[in-house]
């Protein structure tokens, strides 16, 4: 069957033409709409991919995206943690050139302390797809940036270190740089562990030996002493003698690790571990321990202190000359340089080197932070070196080195490095590291108790009733560029309590204290450092639950009385 073409005429033909036109128009519109949608999807995809590209670059090349494990004190108090923050970033390739100057001006008005010129330079860097506009932006700043409606600007989450106690223990904890890498202190020494993902995922943390409460007490009292005497700085260490754990350690001036970019050479310097000093008369405690242990002297051995001692071109004086022969027990009580110079000479080079080696005075201290100073001592030991060594001149060591050595002569005679890690020596036996005998250690403790308890002792201002404080004062003329400056002193005091069974050691050093009326213009260890130790013990002992002996007896009697009733 044949189908014939039907030809439309008139009105039907015109209607057909109109229908076809509408169909074509609809198809064109539909196609154009589809094209616009496709264009938009492509644009969004490109924008997203470019932004993702920038984010991937950030994540790959910026270690700040990694969390760090917490650092806590001995009681679990948080010292350093990681918190989420946001950085403001841009992709210059996505921002139209004609908008960049206006945009830079708008951003500068939002961001604190960021110049328009600096921002424009970053936005105009078309060779880069990722730039930082500002590290650490606030929610308020971000909300203002969002209102600018520029898709080429975005924020990225990162993790940053936060130190809730700010300056407290800053030289111990240390800090991180902008890339969240440890650069000083514990943060640097344990950097790999603190960044280890497995360690973090298992809730690992570094627990230090310090007690932040005791740290604050040390900081407060040392700061007051420095301010009172207009001193240039100071250092302090508090040690748990039984465990060899550092409860507090400070170096003043300090820095705030939350603002690590503001750290200076002066406030970043760690005096207790990195600084080495001629510490003066506190060294006499080590000298007398050596001489007693070698049976070169006894407590009753007499030395002539009737007049200054001349050795070659040098003349050795006493600060408060007694102008009479003195027993060894009196030599340390009055801190006689004349007596100790003779003891040093009697000890001789061989014995001094033997004991100094046992006490690790010739070696850098071992501690869990990288800032450690190297000691300075004579290459050739002449007679004068032996004499000056005995009262702490001619050899420069760090306060930490001294604390390690001093602890060994009062703890029964064994050497052990002080630690910043809680429980490090829990199952450690150090009986093989003997420095002196227990008998000698007992004698030294008795002599040093007399320095504080006797009204004529140089350290009597450190006495705290009921705590049986013992110790030794130190006043050293500062040596700068191989010249001694008579008007610049380094004053110190090392104390411990109770003297009959030492538990805690406190070392205080004050750098260049100025004379004041309250101390009768004296700037010695007995007048400056010893009273500071007294204040520290008076406040820290109750915090640690240690009551004075008199109150203990009182409470015991009350308890017995109640029991009997």
């Amino acid at each position: 069957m044949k189908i014939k073409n039907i030809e439309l005429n008139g009105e039907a033909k015109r209607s057909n033409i109109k229908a076809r036109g509408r169909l074509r128009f609809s198809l064109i519109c539909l196609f154009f709409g589809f094209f616009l949608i496709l264009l938009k999807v492509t644009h969004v995809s490109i924008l997203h991919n470019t932004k993702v590209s920038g984010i991937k670059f950030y994540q790959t090349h910026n270690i700040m995206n990694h969390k760090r494990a917490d650092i806590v004190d001995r009681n679990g108090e948080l010292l350093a943690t990681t918190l989420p923050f946001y950085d403001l970033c841009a992709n210059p390739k996505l921002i139209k050139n004609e908008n960049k100057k206006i945009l830079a001006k708008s951003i500068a008005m939002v961001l604190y302390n960021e110049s328009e010129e600096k921002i424009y330079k970053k936005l105009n860097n078309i060779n880069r797809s990722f730039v930082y506009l500002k590290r650490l932006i606030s929610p308020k700043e971000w909300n203002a940036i969002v209102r600018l409606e520029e898709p080429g600007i975005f924020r990225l989450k990162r993790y940053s270190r936060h130190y809730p106690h700010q300056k407290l223990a800053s030289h111990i904890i240390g800090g991180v740089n902008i890339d969240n890498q440890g650069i000083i202190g514990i943060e640097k020494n344990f950097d790999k562990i603190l960044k280890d993902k497995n360690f973090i995922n298992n809730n690992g943390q570094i627990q230090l030996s310090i007690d932040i409460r005791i740290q604050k007490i040390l900081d407060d009292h040392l700061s007051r002493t420095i301010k009172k005497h207009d001193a240039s700085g100071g250092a302090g260490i508090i040690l748990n003698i039984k465990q060899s754990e550092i409860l507090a350690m400070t170096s003043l001036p300090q820095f705030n690790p939350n603002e690590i970019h503001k750290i200076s050479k002066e406030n970043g310097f760690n005096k207790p571990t990195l600084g080495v000093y001629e510490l003066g008369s506190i060294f006499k405690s080590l000298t007398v321990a050596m001489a007693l242990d070698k049976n070169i002297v006894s407590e009753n051995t007499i030395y002539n202190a009737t007049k200054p001692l001349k050795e070659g071109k040098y003349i050795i004086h006493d600060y408060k000359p007694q102008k009479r022969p003195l027993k060894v027990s009196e030599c340390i009580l009055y801190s006689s340089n004349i007596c100790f110079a003779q003891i040093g000479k009697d000890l001789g080079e061989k014995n001094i080197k033997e004991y100094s080696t046992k006490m690790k005075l010739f070696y850098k201290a071992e501690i869990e932070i990288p800032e450690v100073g190297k000691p300075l001592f004579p290459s050739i030991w002449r007679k004068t070196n032996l004499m000056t060594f005995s009262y702490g001149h001619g050899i420069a060591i760090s306060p930490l080195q001294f604390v390690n050595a001093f602890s060994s002569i009062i703890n029964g005679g064994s050497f052990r490095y002080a630690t910043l890690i809680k429980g490090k020596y829990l199952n450690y036996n150090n009986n093989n590291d003997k420095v002196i005998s227990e008998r000698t250690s007992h004698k030294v403790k008795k002599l040093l108790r007399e320095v504080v308890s006797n009204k004529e002792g140089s350290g009597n201002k450190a006495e705290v009733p009921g705590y049986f404080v013992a110790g030794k004062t130190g006043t050293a003329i500062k040596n700068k560029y191989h010249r001694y400056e008579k008007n610049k002193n380094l004053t110190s005091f090392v104390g411990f309590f109770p003297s009959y069974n030492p538990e805690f050691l406190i070392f205080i050093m004050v750098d260049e204290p100025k004379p004041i009326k309250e101390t009768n213009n004296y700037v010695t260890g007995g007048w400056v450092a010893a009273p500071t130790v007294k204040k520290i013990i008076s406040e820290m002992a109750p915090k640690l639950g240690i009551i004075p002996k008199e109150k203990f007896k009182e409470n015991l009697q009350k308890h017995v009385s109640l029991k009997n009733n």
Side-chain angles (χ1 to χ4, degrees):
M1 183 172 146
K2 250 182 185 177
I3 298 175
K4 291 182 180 179
N5 289 331
I6 300 172
E7 191 176 333
L8 298 174
N9 294 315
E11 191 64 36
K13 188 176 182 179
R14 282 195 295 274
S15 294
N16 186 44
I17 291 166
K18 282 181 182 179
R20 285 180 181 181
R22 281 196 295 271
L23 182 61
R24 285 193 193 99
F25 180 74
S26 296
L27 287 170
I28 290 166
C29 287
L30 188 64
F31 176 78
F32 187 68
F34 178 76
F35 177 75
L36 286 176
I37 292 167
L38 186 64
L39 191 67
K40 182 68 176 174
V41 169
T42 307
H43 173 72
V44 169
S45 177
I46 291 167
L47 177 65
H48 174 74
N49 288 336
T50 313
K51 193 178 284 188
V52 167
S53 166
I55 293 170
K56 281 182 178 176
F57 174 86
Y58 174 91
Q59 290 175 334
T60 307
H61 293 85
N62 202 319
I63 204 161
M64 281 164 63
N65 241 3
H66 298 159
K67 287 184 179 179
R68 290 175 74 87
D70 290 344
I71 300 171
V72 297
D73 84 341
R74 68 185 300 107
N75 302 312
E77 180 76 20
L78 198 62
L79 302 178
T81 190
T82 306
L83 297 176
F85 292 95
Y86 289 92
D87 294 327
L88 186 64
C89 312
N91 186 338
K93 291 181 178 180
L94 296 180
I95 303 167
K96 292 178 181 177
N97 287 334
E98 58 267 26
N99 294 341
K100 286 181 179 177
K101 282 196 174 180
I102 299 167
L103 188 61
K105 187 175 182 180
S106 301
I107 294 170
M109 289 172 70
V110 173
L111 302 182
Y112 174 73
N113 212 22
E114 296 289 336
S115 71
E116 181 185 335
E117 186 184 346
K118 188 178 174 183
I119 293 169
Y120 176 70
K121 191 177 178 182
K122 289 180 179 181
L123 295 178
N124 209 33
N125 190 349
I126 56 170
N127 295 322
R128 299 193 58 184
S129 59
F130 183 92
V131 292
Y132 288 109
L133 296 181
K134 187 186 177 184
R135 296 288 181 97
L136 186 58
I137 60 161
S138 67
K140 186 179 177 182
E141 287 173 327
W142 173 241
N143 291 334
I145 294 293
V146 169
R147 287 194 286 272
L148 297 177
E149 296 183 343
E150 173 51 63
I153 295 176
F154 51 96
R155 68 174 181 171
L156 282 175
K157 186 179 181 180
R158 68 176 169 97
Y159 292 101
S160 185
R161 214 57 166 152
H162 176 65
Y163 305 90
H165 295 281
Q166 300 186 55
K167 290 183 178 182
L168 270 183
S170 57
H171 288 90
I172 296 173
I173 302 163
V176 298
N177 62 15
I178 195 71
D179 294 320
N180 232 20
Q181 293 172 313
I183 54 173
I184 47 174
I186 291 289
E187 291 278 31
K188 182 176 181 180
N189 202 56
F190 292 93
D191 190 52
K192 284 185 180 178
I193 295 172
L194 289 164
K195 290 190 299 191
D196 185 86
K197 286 182 181 178
N198 292 329
F199 188 70
I200 295 165
N201 292 337
N202 290 321
N203 297 317
Q205 54 185 208
I206 301 288
Q207 186 166 34
L208 303 185
S209 61
I210 67 169
D211 184 329
I212 203 66
R213 302 170 305 161
I214 307 304
Q215 182 73 38
K216 189 175 187 309
I217 291 168
L218 174 62
D219 277 29
D220 286 350
H221 287 293
L222 183 56
S223 294
R224 286 172 201 162
T225 299
I226 289 169
K227 187 177 179 182
K228 183 178 179 180
H229 290 272
D230 192 25
S232 65
I237 300 173
I238 298 177
L239 182 76
N240 179 315
I241 297 168
K242 305 286 187 189
Q243 298 166 352
S244 297
E245 292 181 358
I246 294 172
L247 295 182
M249 183 167 72
T250 194
S251 179
L252 298 175
Q254 295 167 306
F255 64 92
N256 185 345
N258 292 310
E259 298 174 331
I260 200 75
H261 59 284
K262 292 182 180 178
I263 195 170
S264 66
K265 189 177 179 181
E266 184 188 10
N267 64 23
F269 189 81
N270 193 335
K271 291 180 176 71
T273 63
L274 186 57
V276 293
Y277 311 92
E278 294 183 51
L279 292 171
S281 293
I282 56 172
F283 239 76
K284 290 169 184 171
S285 55
L286 306 183
T287 304
V288 79
M290 296 176 189
L292 286 169
D293 200 60
K294 273 291 177 186
N295 293 316
I296 288 168
V297 300
S298 73
E299 298 94 315
N300 297 316
T301 302
I302 293 173
Y303 282 96
N304 186 7
T306 53
K307 59 182 179 179
L309 184 65
K310 191 174 181 183
E311 182 62 42
K313 61 179 181 179
Y314 301 102
I315 300 175
I316 297 168
H317 300 269
D318 279 345
Y319 182 70
K320 285 187 175 179
Q322 298 300 304
K323 297 180 180 179
R324 63 181 176 85
L326 299 174
K327 293 178 182 178
V328 164
S329 57
E330 293 176 308
C331 294
I332 200 154
L333 180 73
Y334 298 116
S335 196
S336 169
N337 292 339
I338 297 169
C339 287
F340 271 89
Q342 295 172 74
I343 295 172
K345 193 165 60 171
D346 290 346
L347 258 172
E349 181 181 347
K350 185 184 174 185
N351 289 328
I352 284 176
K353 284 185 174 180
E354 178 193 330
Y355 283 97
S356 295
T357 301
K358 287 180 181 179
M359 294 177 185
K360 307 293 191 288
L361 298 180
F362 296 152
Y363 312 100
K364 288 169 72 172
E366 291 181 13
I367 189 76
E368 293 84 6
I369 55 175
E371 297 78 30
V372 179
K374 189 178 179 181
L376 303 172
F377 47 86
S379 53
I380 299 170
W381 289 77
R382 297 182 175 88
K383 193 186 287 185
T384 50
N385 297 120
L386 303 175
M387 295 167 83
T388 58
F389 170 91
S390 69
Y391 53 85
H393 279 81
I395 179 169
I397 63 170
S398 69
L400 179 62
Q401 276 184 282
F402 177 79
V403 165
N404 286 334
F406 187 82
S407 179
S408 74
I409 66 169
I410 60 167
N411 69 5
S414 297
F415 183 89
R416 189 160 64 180
Y417 284 112
T419 182
L420 286 166
I421 303 299
K422 184 182 178 181
K424 180 178 178 178
Y425 295 120
L426 207 55
N427 300 309
Y428 179 85
N429 188 337
N430 69 329
N431 289 333
N432 295 328
D433 301 317
K434 274 289 180 186
V435 175
I436 58 173
S437 68
E438 284 191 35
R439 187 165 173 269
T440 303
S441 182
H442 181 69
K443 289 178 182 178
V444 171
K445 286 182 284 187
K446 281 181 71 178
L447 290 172
L448 296 178
R449 170 61 183 150
E450 193 70 13
V451 171
V452 176
S453 62
N454 193 311
K455 288 183 180 179
E456 293 185 36
S458 61
N460 64 54
K461 289 177 176 58
E463 177 73 318
V464 185
Y467 286 109
F468 297 88
V469 180
K472 184 69 190 79
T473 55
T475 308
I477 301 169
K478 287 189 75 174
N479 187 336
K480 197 171 183 181
Y481 308 121
H482 305 290
R483 290 180 68 88
Y484 287 100
E485 301 183 42
K486 287 186 177 181
N487 296 323
K488 291 185 178 180
N489 288 345
L490 197 69
T491 63
S492 58
F493 183 81
V494 59
F496 60 95
F497 73 98
S499 59
Y500 53 85
N501 184 24
E503 288 190 50
F504 301 100
L505 182 159
I506 302 96
F507 170 91
I508 287 293
M509 182 184 83
V510 182
D511 196 1
E512 295 181 22
K514 309 294 186 301
I516 57 172
K517 282 184 180 179
E518 189 183 322
T519 62
N520 299 317
N521 292 323
Y522 290 121
V523 286
T524 61
W527 283 91
V528 177
T532 308
V533 169
K534 176 180 181 175
K535 290 169 187 172
I536 289 168
I537 293 172
S538 299
E539 191 174 347
M540 73 173 266
K543 275 271 194 303
L544 295 172
I546 305 164
I547 58 173
K549 198 72 172 174
E550 282 83 355
K551 285 190 178 179
F552 176 77
K553 284 179 181 175
E554 227 176 80
N555 292 342
L556 189 66
Q557 284 170 352
K558 282 180 185 176
H559 178 71
V560 171
S561 176
L562 283 168
K563 237 183 161 184
N564 291 336
N565 292 333

